Amino acid sequence: MRKYNKLIFELSKPGRTAYRLPENDVEEIAVEELIPAEYLNDDELDLPEVSEVDIIRHYTNLSNKNFGVDTGFYPLGSCTMKYNPKVNEDMAGLEGFVNIHPLQPEETVQGALRLMYELDQALCEIAGMDKMTLQPAAGAHGELTGLTLIKAYHENRGDTNRTKIIIPDSAHGTNPATAIMAGFDTIEIKSTEEGIVDIESLKAALSDEVAGLMLTNPNTLGLFEKNIREMADLVHECGGLLYYDGANANAILGKARPGDMGFDVVHFNIHKTFSTPHGGGGPGSGPVGVKDILLDFLPTPTVEKDGDRYYLDYDRPKSVGRMKDFHGHFNVLVKAYTYILTMGRDGLERASEWAVLNANYLAHKLKDHYNVQEDAIFKHEFVLAGLKDALSEVTTLDVAKRLLDYGYHPPTVYFPLIVNEAIMPEPTETESVETLEEFAEALIKIAEEAKEDPEILKEAPHETPVRRVNETQAARNPILKYEG
Amino acid sequence: MYPYIPNTKEDEQRMLETIGFDSIDDLFSDIPEDLVLDRELDLKPSMSELEVANYITKLSKENTTINDLTCFLGAGAYDHYIPSIIGHILSRSEFYTSYTPYQAEMSQGTLQYIFEYQSLICKLTGMDVSNASLYDGGTAVAEAAFMASNITRKDEIVVSKTVNPQSREVLKTYAHLQGIKVIEVEDNGGVTDLDKLKANVSDKTAAVIVQNPNFFGIIEDIEAIEEIAHSQRRTLLIASVDPISLGILKTPASLGVDIVVGEGQALGMPLNFGGPYLGFIATNKSHMRRLPGRIVGQTIDAEENRAFVLTLQAREQHIRREKATSNICSNQGMLTLAAAVYFVTLGKKGLREVSLQATQKAHYAMNKITESGNYKPLFDKPFFKEFAITSSIDADEINGKLLEEKILGGYPLGEKYPQYENGILYAVTEKRSKDEIDRLSSVLEGMI
Amino acid sequence: MKVVKGLYYTEDHEWLKVDGDEAYIGLSDYAQDALGDIVYVDLPEEDDEFDKEEGFAAVESVKAAADVYMPVGGTITAINEDLFDNPELLNEDPYENWIVKIDIADKDELDELMTSEEYEKFLDEEV
């Protein structure tokens, strides 16, 4: 097929159009008589003029230069790129959900409120928490909401000295960024050789200045933090609270619950664990669940039930206020609830079982060619410390780029930071054993290529719509918009 | 059986044997016993697609939609026409089942549409640089305030009360986290009180935040506000704008705005009970490295062909961690595609026509409703597609009556603005017909 | 890695070259190599004051970012404006291309820094 390489602006031709509005049926008064000329723009808009056919072909061609879960295996660690069920899209597209205004009277949106209330309850049961807010827009926004609640809790007790958040060195980058954004300082604690939190390092970090600990469990190495109870007790004893980063929750559905582990506040990444599409970057959704001690501080409004009636509760005097406009990413929430009902209590547990079995199976297949942690039971993901006995000039980046030629989206690379040359696959439960085996074969073949013909890796990818992209030039001479 | 889990019982046996485990339970033996949930989750058992679809569809039918009603409600979310083409493009799963384009070579589709989106936002606002989206209009205001505070190293934000109350609530929640003081300036007859604004802007002011058209639909005197904001060294002017209004109004860049933000829902996104929508943010080149979130840049590949890639990533959480400009990771990717397709579908003439028709229909509605004198304009300032009306009748009573007549009434101002107790804010988009407006007016007259 | 004699060094890989009461500060060869292609340098403003070990600038490569810390306390008297447009100068010749010039607040603090010999040993043993 011919390579398509046009910008929409380059298709523009004066006089072309892709829209038609009805004739204006009210009396037409010149805009200058309605709005003072000093406020009006005299210039024509600098937007392209294209036909509907131009637009459809343009974006269809662009979509052909993309790769999604529907295209192929996408084992991007810590992102849980599971299959996005199509019925979810249909349900979220129902007229009764799509075309309701967020400020409509409550009696006209009972179905929407009921869905939110039932989802709230289901997520609480899965997390072992008491109440959710569905407002947060994404995982990082859930983190910010959670730390906002922790801050409010301490402030409400007059305990204003708690300015620090403890974060393990294996944490997602959003954790420290969130802590700073929420006005805290961070204390980084170390991991053990084994890859879990070093309890001694945690103990040394504890003081009456600690507001809380942020932790993901299983952690980013795919290991279950087995000392979590002891850690929770230590943090609680010193007056801090525990925040659960739910990015890795796909490993433990129905098996263990953050609430039972001692966490006080939790977020879920709906777009990871509950199968909603990642949308080329978003929208996600990051509901936050809390134990009763934080209930009063939840953002307004919460969704409540009174008899048969569902309503939005704005009357929450101790609330931290609003975290975003309106009620969260409702359309994403519909998809998540559809998924939870489809899978049910049995299917969610089965999903975690398969996510874990798939991860361990893939790790096993790769252990002769890549550095895999010995004798570990992984949960939903694992981390390879690069190639075994590779030539020094061949990096993880080269392996990842070569994977593109084999038709796979590479795993997450260079994360977590504590592992050299890290490659982090997360297969998820929606992949078949055949897919895992073919993927392992590709990675093994690449390991062989790395020894025999390293240039083929260094110059990869070869088969993609564009060859290796020059990131240095992009950053040194930023071109951030079309100048034409 | 579960349609989304392809492996079989036999696969399970073979895989367990291969890795040397007896059972799946053994794979969870690393979870301490006292933490293992010793019961099933208290949820319903799994269901067939048909059963789930029936149930969810039933819930959807318990809602009354804007197709059942005639919508005059706005206040931050608008019933503009959404061209059919947008849904079709967004439904391409090569787009929607991908994630953040970390691997540029197999994500050129996503990267290019974001680059085009950034370009379109810049063309519309006149600014130099746009990011690849924020969550919504409210969080965009808050992120802009943080950005201004970082740039200026000052910690007071002066915000006009004519900014959407919801955005101000988000701003206050965020500002409290970093000890930033938020000073609210009262309105005077529906616009920012310039004297009060002047009195509150000082050398401590990181930014002045206004909305244009403001929450009441009125066009603010941005030139005068700009002069006040920039009377202090380094103080920035942040404006939250309705992108549709830029079909006819002067660009924020030409008015001296430093950071432009706004809610992009009007750009081809359904109401969806409040989300997901699209927050946009754009600024001048001098501040580009302080922008939060992803940014796509143009570059070349190894064969010197044009290519696109995420850039200026050192600002971001996955590289900078504690020092990042924001914690944002997942953004509103799909919605930037909706906005981009909306812009190019309407194009040079169409966006202006939407803007003009909304203006003319809103003014027709205002005149029609106030014709008899029973309802009065709350303000007498130039407005765009929203306007406030007052009367002796309680706003909730009016809206209740309208709902009986299948009309979704305007936004009651009394709760957020007690001084405008019976005020109602009506929104009129290009979708409203003369007949619909006349019917609104006659139902209102019938209540007298 | 190249280490230039006659300069002071820190464990964070900054170098400092004394010039009367003033000093030039830059990044060592080791630091630029570890960062990779430098794409941007975030510089302070003249007259900004910083304490010893306080971050005064940031250096960004495509996939990393590092703060640059003051080897000794002082006031910025000049910034290397060439770095705005040509950040790669720090890769090309890290010792020729200084980042800032400062007025040293307390010369006694120089005694706490490493000599070139000590820094070479530090690189061998610690890094």
Side-chain angles (χ1 to χ4, degrees):
Chain A
M1 256 179 4
R2 197 170 46 92
K3 266 197 180 173
Y4 182 78
N5 190 22
K6 289 226 169 86
L7 287 166
I8 191 78
F9 308 104
E10 293 161 354
L11 302 175
S12 181
K13 182 174 166 183
R16 277 201 183 134
T17 181
Y19 82 100
R20 183 169 171 180
L21 290 179
E23 287 295 308
N24 187 357
D25 59 358
V26 306
E27 53 184 319
E28 267 193 57
I29 302 169
V31 66
E32 292 77 12
E33 288 178 36
L34 302 175
I35 295 173
E38 69 206 74
Y39 295 144
L40 297 171
N41 191 351
D42 300 328
D43 301 328
E44 267 198 323
L45 292 175
D46 182 18
L47 294 177
E49 294 174 89
V50 286
S51 72
E52 180 162 333
V53 188
D54 294 328
I55 299 170
I56 283 288
R57 292 218 175 115
H58 176 72
Y59 288 103
T60 303
N61 275 301
L62 289 192
S63 76
N64 290 337
K65 297 207 239 183
N66 238 29
F67 186 97
V69 173
D70 283 5
T71 321
F73 189 37
Y74 206 129
L76 191 65
S78 264
C79 297
T80 315
M81 302 299 290
K82 60 169 80 174
Y83 172 69
N84 310 129
K86 300 308 160 195
V87 67
N88 297 357
E89 302 301 309
D90 291 349
M91 294 301 100
L94 289 168
E95 146 77 7
F97 292 138
V98 170
N99 291 316
I100 47 178
H101 191 290
L103 300 173
Q104 275 183 222
E106 279 163 7
E107 67 264 32
T108 65
V109 289
Q110 283 295 298
L113 293 174
R114 181 171 167 188
L115 185 144
M116 293 171 79
Y117 185 83
E118 290 182 4
L119 176 62
D120 178 338
Q121 290 206 312
L123 293 175
C124 278
E125 169 63 10
I126 294 165
M129 304 307 275
D130 295 316
K131 178 74 185 164
M132 307 288 297
T133 170
L134 304 177
Q135 211 172 76
H141 200 224
E143 291 175 29
L144 188 67
T145 304
L147 292 198
T148 304
L149 295 170
I150 289 175
K151 186 167 249 188
Y153 168 84
H154 293 307
E155 282 175 353
N156 185 57
R157 290 157 46 99
D159 199 353
T160 52
N161 198 30
R162 297 192 178 268
T163 55
K164 299 196 164 100
I165 294 286
I166 302 175
I167 299 171
D169 55 8
S170 61
H172 297 116
T174 47
N175 290 178
T178 301
I180 298 298
M181 197 167 174
F184 293 105
D185 293 324
T186 58
I187 309 176
E188 188 175 275
I189 55 170
K190 294 203 178 333
S191 304
T192 61
E193 285 279 296
E194 190 191 341
I196 59 175
V197 169
D198 177 30
I199 293 280
E200 293 312 311
S201 183
L202 172 62
K203 281 182 187 160
L206 291 172
S207 75
D208 59 3
E209 291 185 356
V210 168
L213 165 73
M214 293 181 93
L215 192 71
T216 179
N217 194 15
N219 66 25
T220 58
L221 292 162
L223 303 174
F224 193 86
E225 295 279 357
K226 59 188 178 195
N227 302 319
I228 179 59
R229 252 307 179 29
E230 186 188 352
M231 291 162 67
D233 288 345
L234 286 168
V235 174
H236 283 148
E237 272 163 29
C238 99
L241 298 182
L242 275 87
Y243 183 86
Y244 181 81
D245 173 343
N248 297 344
N250 203 45
I252 57 164
L253 301 172
K255 295 289 183 192
R257 309 192 303 169
D260 302 336
M261 297 175 203
F263 287 95
D264 304 288
V265 51
V266 170
H267 89 257
F268 281 126
N269 297 75
I270 287 296
H271 48 291
K272 300 180 180 177
T273 314
F274 299 104
S275 84
T276 68
H278 286 66
S285 172
V288 166
V290 296
K291 293 271 180 67
D292 277 336
I293 50 161
L294 293 172
L295 193 60
D296 288 350
F297 309 112
L298 281 176
T300 50
T302 53
V303 185
E304 308 289 349
K305 186 181 181 186
D306 179 15
D308 289 338
R309 189 179 144 260
Y310 298 87
Y311 67 99
L312 293 164
D313 182 10
Y314 289 90
D315 184 20
R316 308 180 60 82
K318 284 189 175 173
S319 165
V320 296
R322 261 191 183 284
M323 291 305 297
K324 82 179 288 299
D325 294 339
F326 304 117
H327 325 307
H329 287 169
F330 176 73
N331 162 283
V332 179
L333 300 173
V334 175
K335 299 177 193 182
Y337 193 48
T338 303
Y339 178 75
I340 289 172
L341 289 181
T342 305
M343 298 301 279
R345 61 188 179 218
D346 47 314
L348 291 175
E349 191 173 347
R350 201 68 186 131
S352 284
E353 292 178 349
W354 271 111
V356 170
L357 178 51
N358 277 355
N360 282 281
Y361 186 74
L362 186 58
H364 179 84
K365 287 280 168 192
L366 294 171
K367 69 181 168 40
D368 293 338
H369 299 86
Y370 292 83
N371 296 304
V372 187
Q373 194 173 342
E374 304 272 346
D375 300 322
I377 302 180
F378 298 110
K379 293 272 84 54
H380 63 303
E381 68 190 9
F382 58 96
V383 180
L384 307 169
L387 285 158
K388 270 191 173 166
D389 46 75
L391 300 168
S392 63
E393 76 263 28
V394 179
T395 63
T396 277
L397 183 69
D398 301 324
V399 174
K401 293 301 179 196
R402 184 64 180 147
L403 261 178
L404 302 178
D405 288 332
Y406 284 86
Y408 297 103
H409 193 289
T412 298
V413 289
Y414 298 108
F415 182 82
L417 307 177
I418 56 172
V419 178
N420 255 330
E421 296 293 309
I423 306 176
M424 183 208 251
E426 179 184 6
T428 84
E429 74 280 8
T430 65
E431 299 301 329
S432 69
V433 64
E434 289 79 12
T435 300
L436 302 182
E437 285 167 354
E438 286 161 19
F439 177 70
E441 274 166 35
L443 268 175
I444 291 166
K445 190 129 187 271
I446 291 170
E448 285 159 6
E449 287 173 347
K451 285 175 207 159
E452 290 154 16
D453 187 9
E455 278 311 296
I456 203 165
L457 269 71
K458 304 246 53 128
E459 286 173 13
H462 305 263
E463 311 289 334
T464 41
V466 296
R467 298 290 301 277
R468 199 177 291 198
V469 166
N470 190 333
E471 296 187 42
T472 306
Q473 177 166 326
R476 276 189 184 154
N477 305 301
I479 303 173
L480 308 178
K481 62 174 185 183
Y482 173 71
E483 306 272 7
Chain B
M1 284 305 295
Y2 307 99
Y4 320 139
I5 301 179
N7 284 335
T8 64
K9 207 67 199 160
E10 290 72 43
D11 293 329
E12 182 181 324
Q13 274 317 311
R14 185 166 69 82
M15 292 166 76
L16 283 168
E17 271 166 35
T18 307
I19 61 174
F21 281 81
D22 291 335
S23 70
I24 287 209
D25 282 347
D26 288 353
L27 285 172
F28 289 88
S29 60
D30 55 337
I31 302 181
E33 232 164 89
D34 60 333
L35 293 182
V36 173
L37 188 64
D38 57 2
R39 59 171 176 84
E40 284 199 304
L41 287 172
D42 184 15
L43 300 173
K44 291 194 187 92
S46 53
M47 281 193 262
S48 68
E49 186 172 299
L50 178 61
E51 289 165 297
V52 175
N54 282 342
Y55 180 68
I56 298 284
T57 305
K58 182 178 85 88
L59 291 187
S60 82
K61 290 193 168 152
E62 288 167 19
N63 301 323
T64 313
T65 77
I66 52 158
N67 290 331
D68 306 320
L69 307 168
T70 306
C71 179
F72 289 96
L73 182 57
Y78 300 96
D79 178 25
H80 284 285
Y81 182 68
I82 301 173
S84 174
I85 186 173
I86 294 178
H88 287 273
I89 290 170
L90 263 61
S91 71
R92 290 203 65 96
S93 72
E94 298 88 342
F95 288 141
Y96 82 75
T97 72
S98 67
Y99 196 21
T100 305
Y102 296 117
Q103 295 293 339
E105 296 83 0
M106 69 177 1
S107 312
Q108 286 296 302
T110 300
L111 287 161
Q112 186 175 328
Y113 77 63
I114 295 174
F115 181 81
E116 291 176 354
Y117 159 83
Q118 290 172 185
S119 305
L120 289 158
I121 290 287
C122 289
K123 283 177 184 295
L124 196 69
T125 58
M127 305 304 282
D128 297 329
V129 193
S130 157
N131 85 348
S133 75
L134 296 170
Y135 305 133
D136 61 16
T139 59
V141 166
E143 288 271 14
F146 276 7
M147 186 176 150
S149 175
N150 285 333
I151 291 169
T152 60
R153 296 181 213 155
K154 302 180 188 184
D155 58 5
E156 275 186 22
I157 297 287
V158 178
V159 59
S160 169
K161 276 199 170 182
T162 66
V163 171
N164 188 324
Q166 205 166 245
S167 299
R168 283 185 284 123
E169 285 171 36
V170 178
L171 172 68
K172 281 184 261 184
T173 308
Y174 273 54
H176 174 75
L177 296 172
Q178 295 195 357
I180 292 172
K181 186 174 165 193
V182 176
I183 301 167
E184 294 188 309
V185 175
E186 296 291 332
D187 79 290
N188 180 2
V191 292
T192 307
D193 186 317
L194 295 181
D195 291 332
K196 288 182 180 151
L197 179 67
K198 204 178 283 180
N200 280 293
V201 170
S202 73
D203 60 356
K204 292 186 197 137
T205 310
V208 171
I209 304 181
V210 292
Q211 181 175 322
N212 195 44
N214 70 24
F215 185 66
F216 304 122
I218 298 174
I219 300 160
E220 293 271 358
D221 186 353
I222 300 292
E223 282 181 42
I225 292 168
E226 188 266 345
E227 209 167 287
I228 295 168
H230 288 157
S231 68
Q232 297 294 335
R233 185 168 169 262
R234 298 219 281 226
T235 300
L236 301 180
L237 176 58
I238 299 170
S240 174
V241 301
D242 175 351
I244 300 289
S245 74
L246 297 178
I248 54 172
L249 297 184
K250 276 188 177 161
T251 65
S254 69
L255 296 166
V257 176
D258 299 292
I259 306 174
V260 181
V261 294
E263 173 52 66
Q265 177 270 335
L267 304 169
M269 285 151 239
L271 288 165
N272 263 326
F273 201 44
Y277 294 168
L278 167 70
F280 59 88
I281 185 165
T283 189
N284 301 318
K285 204 152 197 178
S286 55
H287 303 314
M288 80 181 167
R289 286 173 194 273
R290 305 287 185 155
L291 272 174
R294 316 261 184 230
I295 298 176
V296 173
Q298 182 183 311
T299 183
I300 51 168
D301 73 355
E303 291 173 346
E304 309 228 332
N305 292 311
R306 178 165 63 190
F308 302 93
V309 68
L310 290 175
T311 195
L312 306 184
Q313 293 192 77
R315 302 163 296 107
E316 290 188 71
Q317 47 79 26
H318 61 292
I319 299 212
R320 206 53 167 279
R321 296 173 81 86
E322 287 87 353
K323 299 267 170 66
T325 51
S326 167
N327 71 339
I328 189 167
C329 181
S330 288
N331 56 17
Q332 305 298 101
M334 264 298 97
L335 293 316
T336 65
L337 179 57
V341 179
Y342 184 83
F343 279 135
V344 301
T345 301
L346 290 171
K348 188 185 284 285
K349 298 215 166 59
L351 190 66
R352 181 173 167 80
E353 196 179 330
V354 168
S355 199
L356 270 177
Q357 283 212 18
T359 308
Q360 283 165 340
K361 288 179 173 178
H363 284 79
Y364 173 78
M366 161 83 138
N367 292 336
K368 191 81 191 166
I369 293 168
T370 55
E371 208 169 33
S372 69
N374 291 319
Y375 295 88
K376 293 194 166 51
L378 191 51
F379 309 115
D380 61 350
K381 304 275 190 330
F383 62 94
F384 174 50
K385 69 183 182 193
E386 282 178 295
F387 57 89
I389 295 288
T390 189
S391 70
S392 56
I393 311 171
D394 178 73
D396 288 337
E397 193 187 328
I398 291 178
N399 277 345
K401 177 75 186 159
L402 289 174
L403 196 58
E404 283 171 26
E405 300 293 329
K406 300 269 181 217
I407 293 171
L408 185 55
Y411 176 86
L413 291 169
E415 198 194 318
K416 300 292 178 191
Y417 299 94
Q419 71 272 37
Y420 303 129
E421 202 194 335
N422 285 349
I424 296 183
L425 183 68
Y426 291 94
V428 184
T429 70
E430 82 287 359
K431 266 179 85 175
R432 296 289 73 83
S433 67
K434 179 172 181 295
D435 286 351
E436 288 171 336
I437 296 167
D438 290 347
R439 206 166 68 81
L440 167 68
S441 163
S442 76
V443 174
L444 286 174
E445 278 307 309
M447 293 183 67
I448 299 299
Chain C
M1 292 299 150
K2 192 173 155 192
V3 176
V4 171
K5 293 206 186 308
L7 307 183
Y8 290 100
Y9 293 87
T10 70
E11 292 189 2
D12 295 314
H13 310 286
E14 291 94 9
W15 58 256
L16 179 143
K17 181 181 177 184
V18 177
D19 181 17
D21 289 335
E22 294 188 307
Y24 294 95
I25 299 172
L27 283 182
S28 76
D29 192 32
Y30 174 85
Q32 71 77 22
D33 185 67
L35 278 162
D37 289 345
I38 291 168
V39 296
Y40 180 68
V41 185
D42 190 12
L43 294 167
E45 289 179 25
E46 278 179 31
D47 299 333
D48 284 354
E49 281 178 49
F50 296 96
D51 292 335
K52 179 181 164 71
E53 285 169 14
E54 197 179 342
F56 68 91
V59 180
E60 299 179 4
S61 64
V62 172
K63 292 268 150 97
D67 286 320
V68 191
Y69 302 97
M70 292 289 269
V72 297
T75 307
I76 308 291
T77 56
I79 54 173
N80 185 352
E81 291 183 359
D82 291 347
L83 297 177
F84 281 126
D85 291 329
N86 302 97
E88 63 272 18
L89 291 172
L90 291 181
N91 291 120
E92 289 164 7
D93 193 341
Y95 294 106
E96 194 60 35
N97 294 292
W98 50 276
I99 298 173
V100 291
K101 192 175 186 186
I102 64 162
D103 200 359
I104 303 172
D106 176 4
K107 278 197 146 185
D108 288 348
E109 286 180 353
L110 291 171
D111 298 339
E112 297 158 34
L113 301 174
M114 285 185 275
T115 63
S116 61
E117 291 77 16
E118 286 165 335
Y119 181 61
E120 267 182 345
K121 205 167 152 225
F122 171 76
L123 287 179
D124 280 346
E125 288 171 6
E126 307 280 330
V127 186

